[in-house]
Amino acid sequence: MEKYSQIEKIKYEGAKSKNPFAFRFYDPDRKIAGKTMKQHLKFAMSYWHTINASGTDMFGGNTMDKSFGLSGMEMYKKKADVAFELMQKLGIEYYCFHDVDISPEGETLAESVKYLDEITDYLLEKQKKTGIKLLWGTANMFGDKKFMAGAGTSPCADVFAVAAGKVKAAIDATIKLGGTGYVFWGGREGYDTLLNTDMGLELDNLARLLTMARDYARAKGFKGDFYIEPKPKEPTKHQYDFDVATCANFLRKYNLLGDFKMNIEANHATLAGHTFNHELRTARVNGIFGSIDANQGDLLLGWDTDQFPTNVYDTTLCMYEVLKEGGFTNGGLNFDAKTRRQSNTYEDILLGYIAGMDAFALGLIKAQELIDDGRIDKFVEERYATFASGIGKKIVSGKETLESLSKYAMDLKNVEADSGRQEYLEQILNTVLFG
Ligand code: XUL
Ligand code: CO
């Protein structure tokens, strides 16, 4: 297999290609339903996994050294060079980061802000040279010891204040780099036992932090979206942003709808006991679909494995939701994914991205085929046809009452819904995928 340094830009070679460093399905300029694949998919690189994660697990240390023998700002600049080189090799046009992924964490907030200012100058130059853009930024408010009991939900007001300062700095960095999104993943915003937790105050405080962030960023002219990234557990036993429905309720209660949408991660969906497409659909029907953290978990493991997505059923059903939504606006597909501990070379990172990008490209192609095939959409339309005329239409238009419906239903006989035909529909899906 070729070595990383010998590999130039990854090209599309078609499904028959045996070249490991080529795309089989991702053909960036191919048009699907009027837009190029590149425009549909808006792939992004996750800085934390790609540039920093080093293969450690609970039982062992690094299997991959990503320090380049350097330290401090010098190392972070080298990391930025590698990040942009990787994105260029892959033809990825966006990236996402946490503050501490791109520059060192200082002993004080002031020191961290200074580093962040310096590295964002450097990144901005690179963006200008390459045309690569920032999809979203965020602040890491879960790694440092001070955040052990949460950031916005910490029982300590000084921790809350430092968190607010970090959010301000990360928003400044996001705006400076032209990012179109700002993410809040709950981190340690949750609890392990109610015996030590004031849940009401913690939720109110979390909403206070999000509201301050919204107000600050809007005052600075930020036009992008804020996202909450739902996750049910890990690191805390019970995360406050459990799933999309929980987050929708939170946003509604605290008047944050409109500014905040969802960044939906596949592996978080399955941890919550949902399918990926359930979470996407729930966001859509609540008008809060925003962006996607593309990855997959392992059904036999109960934690967030953050694997590169290769399951084409999932990518197809995901892209079906994205197409039905009319595509991304400020969001995109961020590969919140890392290679396995044993896949510990830069070639593996390229192979991981190629596999993920191809799986989503194929998902996009198949999702459009599913829509063009039309049988599933038609089936769903017909299944609810009784609400398009007669009494159903009157129910939908709000003209009926309990009394009027009681009168209508009084003498009805043999009332039943038609078959749901699940097996028939699953067979259609298989035919579109493999036929
Ligand atoms: C954690 C996770 C994060 C967020 C950003 O499970 O997904 O990487 O995407 O903080
Ligand atoms: Co994520």
Side-chain angles (χ1 to χ4, degrees):
M1 203 176 263
E2 271 174 283
K3 284 283 167 207
Y4 176 79
S5 58
Q6 300 160 332
I7 299 162
E8 301 287 325
K9 200 169 156 72
I10 309 293
K11 296 195 190 76
Y12 169 74
E13 291 186 3
K16 297 252 170 349
S17 171
K18 293 272 192 300
N19 174 5
F21 298 105
F23 294 118
R24 276 150 200 75
F25 304 104
Y26 182 53
D27 185 3
D29 296 319
R30 171 173 165 192
K31 283 221 165 139
I32 293 190
K35 279 201 289 187
T36 63
M37 288 185 118
K38 196 163 66 176
Q39 289 167 332
H40 275 289
L41 293 162
K42 291 183 71 182
F43 289 132
M45 182 202 78
S46 64
Y47 219 96
W48 52 104
H49 286 311
T50 309
I51 305 302
N52 294 326
S54 50
T56 57
D57 68 10
M58 300 289 276
F59 302 94
N62 297 353
T63 58
M64 202 174 167
D65 181 5
K66 292 180 178 171
S67 70
F68 311 100
L70 301 169
S71 62
M73 269 323 261
E74 228 190 324
M75 178 180 76
Y76 282 94
K77 285 187 178 164
K78 174 72 184 168
K79 279 175 183 282
D81 295 343
V82 172
F84 277 74
E85 182 187 286
L86 243 156
M87 287 187 275
Q88 283 182 298
K89 283 191 191 216
L90 288 160
I92 287 184
E93 295 191 329
Y94 298 88
Y95 67 108
C96 304
F97 63 73
H98 301 83
D99 49 1
V100 301
D101 302 331
I102 55 171
S103 60
E105 178 122 70
E107 265 185 52
T108 59
L109 183 59
E111 219 181 299
S112 300
V113 170
K114 190 173 74 72
Y115 293 139
L116 214 46
D117 280 344
E118 193 180 334
I119 199 73
T120 46
D121 284 345
Y122 194 71
L123 289 168
L124 195 54
E125 272 309 302
K126 294 196 153 293
Q127 287 187 194
K128 281 186 192 146
K129 269 194 208 128
T130 59
I132 289 171
K133 299 179 269 291
L134 178 67
L135 188 68
W136 53 257
T138 186
N140 177 320
M141 306 201 288
F142 43 88
D144 192 78
K145 181 181 161 198
K146 69 171 88 60
F147 297 121
M148 72 176 190
T153 64
S154 174
C156 170
D158 278 354
V159 172
F160 185 99
V162 176
K166 264 173 85 77
V167 171
K168 177 187 173 296
I171 288 176
D172 288 341
T174 301
I175 294 175
K176 178 170 165 184
L177 295 173
T180 53
Y182 186 87
V183 164
F184 285 90
W185 165 57
R188 294 182 193 275
E189 316 290 27
Y191 66 85
D192 292 328
T193 172
L194 281 175
L195 294 174
N196 65 12
T197 303
D198 183 343
M199 186 196 276
L201 178 66
E202 290 200 0
L203 285 166
D204 289 349
N205 278 351
L206 183 57
R208 287 182 182 109
L209 181 64
L210 268 50
T211 306
M212 287 175 201
R214 190 263 322 265
D215 293 347
Y216 173 76
R218 293 295 184 227
K220 290 273 167 187
F222 177 65
K223 299 261 186 311
D225 288 320
F226 292 89
Y227 305 111
I228 295 187
E229 184 180 318
K231 184 175 185 180
K233 56 190 167 188
E234 198 201 7
T236 71
K237 181 171 111 174
H238 192 114
Q239 301 274 128
Y240 289 133
D241 47 12
F242 192 95
D243 62 1
V244 172
T246 310
C247 292
N249 181 55
F250 176 88
L251 294 177
R252 205 165 275 130
K253 175 173 178 190
Y254 294 105
N255 290 318
L256 291 165
L257 284 172
D259 294 297
F260 279 79
K261 298 195 165 104
M262 294 291 114
N263 180 39
I264 296 169
E265 180 163 326
N267 203 166
H268 296 179
T270 48
L271 285 178
H274 300 308
T275 57
F276 184 20
N277 53 324
H278 166 91
E279 288 293 80
L280 296 164
R281 184 70 66 88
T282 307
R284 287 185 54 219
V285 300
N286 281 287
I288 50 174
F289 170 79
S291 202
I292 288 176
D293 267 11
N295 63 15
Q296 72 187 23
D298 185 315
L299 280 182
L300 302 184
L301 302 175
W303 61 90
D304 198 11
T305 58
D306 284 338
Q307 290 164 224
F308 275 96
T310 52
N311 183 321
V312 179
Y313 280 99
D314 285 345
T315 59
T316 300
L317 295 173
C318 167
M319 290 315 296
Y320 176 84
E321 297 299 325
V322 175
L323 287 172
K324 287 280 176 181
E325 183 68 19
F328 293 111
T329 45
N330 290 322
L333 277 168
N334 167 48
F335 285 101
D336 194 349
K338 58 179 179 237
T339 55
R340 300 303 82 199
R341 180 173 158 78
Q342 297 179 56
S343 304
N344 61 342
T345 68
Y346 279 97
E347 294 88 72
D348 289 303
I349 294 177
L350 283 182
L351 293 169
Y353 272 97
I354 292 168
M357 292 163 80
D358 262 345
F360 266 95
L362 189 51
L364 168 65
I365 294 167
K366 294 295 168 185
Q368 187 58 47
E369 278 178 32
L370 209 54
I371 291 169
D372 293 341
D373 175 273
R375 279 176 290 173
I376 290 183
D377 283 341
K378 186 158 173 280
F379 182 87
V380 174
E381 195 188 316
E382 283 173 2
R383 188 164 187 234
Y384 296 89
T386 58
F387 286 96
S389 65
I391 190 70
K393 195 170 179 184
K394 286 194 201 154
I395 293 172
V396 169
S397 59
K399 292 202 179 95
E400 296 296 324
T401 64
L402 274 190
E403 295 99 311
S404 70
L405 287 174
S406 165
K407 206 164 143 202
Y408 169 86
M410 205 57 83
D411 299 317
L412 291 183
K413 283 191 190 133
N414 302 324
V415 176
E416 60 178 333
D418 289 339
S419 164
R421 302 238 191 279
Q422 183 171 331
E423 298 75 8
Y424 160 72
L425 297 163
E426 286 169 347
Q427 172 69 351
I428 292 176
L429 180 56
N430 273 351
T431 312
V432 168
L433 282 177
F434 306 108

